[in-house]
Amino acid sequence: MEELARTWWVYLIRGLCALLFGLLALIWPGITLYALVVVFGVYAIANGVFELFSSGRGGARSWMVVSGVGSILIGAAVLLWPGITALVLLLLIAAWAVVVGILEIVAAIRLRRVAAGEWTFVVSGALAVLFGVLLFLWPVASAMAVLWLIGVMAILYGISLVAMAFRLRGVGFHRPGTSERPHPV
């Protein structure tokens, strides 16, 4: 848990990026497909890089590495083929969300043995899975509805990551059994 507490700021950055992505999708719903492709591709790569950086050591490490590499590969695929159709883009985003969500839930189950508060991983993972499943169920939804769905999901996901970041930061400040408060990183 101390390893995660030292990298609390990584979750904060991931959450803020998700919030920014979600707000942009809601503020400019008329965004072109090309711009959405680029924004999503960059976000998925950044999310994967930060997830790899925060994977640390321990039982959940391998799942977080797989999730991070998967995010980077999906983001790269989206950027390499910017002329992708809306349906294929939606299916890539749906697959990415389901895989990342499942891997975060698996990591939470592994973390419950060493730390309380793993529910934040479960919530963010469950939101990602729910979002992916909804996209798979209704892939022909209008572009406006999809942009709103993507925006709302990204905002909720970002809020859960920001909450987790501050929870982890609090763990770093209060070490059980001591009165010392370590200097924040």
Side-chain angles (χ1 to χ4, degrees), residues 30-179:
I31 193 169
T32 64
L33 181 58
Y34 180 77
L36 178 60
V37 168
V38 171
V39 170
F40 174 75
V42 170
Y43 168 73
I45 290 171
N47 184 66
V49 168
F50 282 114
E51 189 153 15
L52 287 175
F53 183 77
S54 67
S55 64
R57 295 184 190 100
R61 182 186 191 284
S62 59
W63 290 107
M64 293 173 80
V65 167
V66 169
S67 178
V69 169
S71 269
I72 291 169
L73 291 175
I74 291 292
V78 167
L79 291 176
L80 288 173
W81 297 291
I84 198 167
T85 66
L87 179 60
V88 173
L89 174 62
L90 290 175
L91 294 177
L92 281 174
I93 293 171
W96 169 80
V98 169
V99 169
V100 166
I102 289 170
L103 293 175
E104 285 185 0
I105 291 169
V106 168
I109 291 168
R110 290 182 170 256
L111 281 174
R112 75 184 158 113
R113 294 184 193 121
V114 296
E118 75 285 348
W119 64 269
T120 54
F121 275 116
V122 173
V123 169
S124 64
L127 286 171
V129 170
L130 175 64
F131 172 70
V133 167
L134 290 174
L135 282 180
F136 277 127
L137 290 176
W138 295 294
V140 292
S142 72
M144 185 68 77
V146 170
L147 285 174
W148 278 85
L149 183 60
I150 289 169
V152 169
M153 181 278 173
I155 289 169
L156 293 173
Y157 185 69
I159 289 169
S160 70
L161 286 174
V162 168
M164 181 171 41
F166 284 111
R167 172 130 171 66
L168 289 172
R169 183 174 184 255
V171 168
F173 280 126
H174 303 288
R175 290 190 183 152
T178 69
S179 61

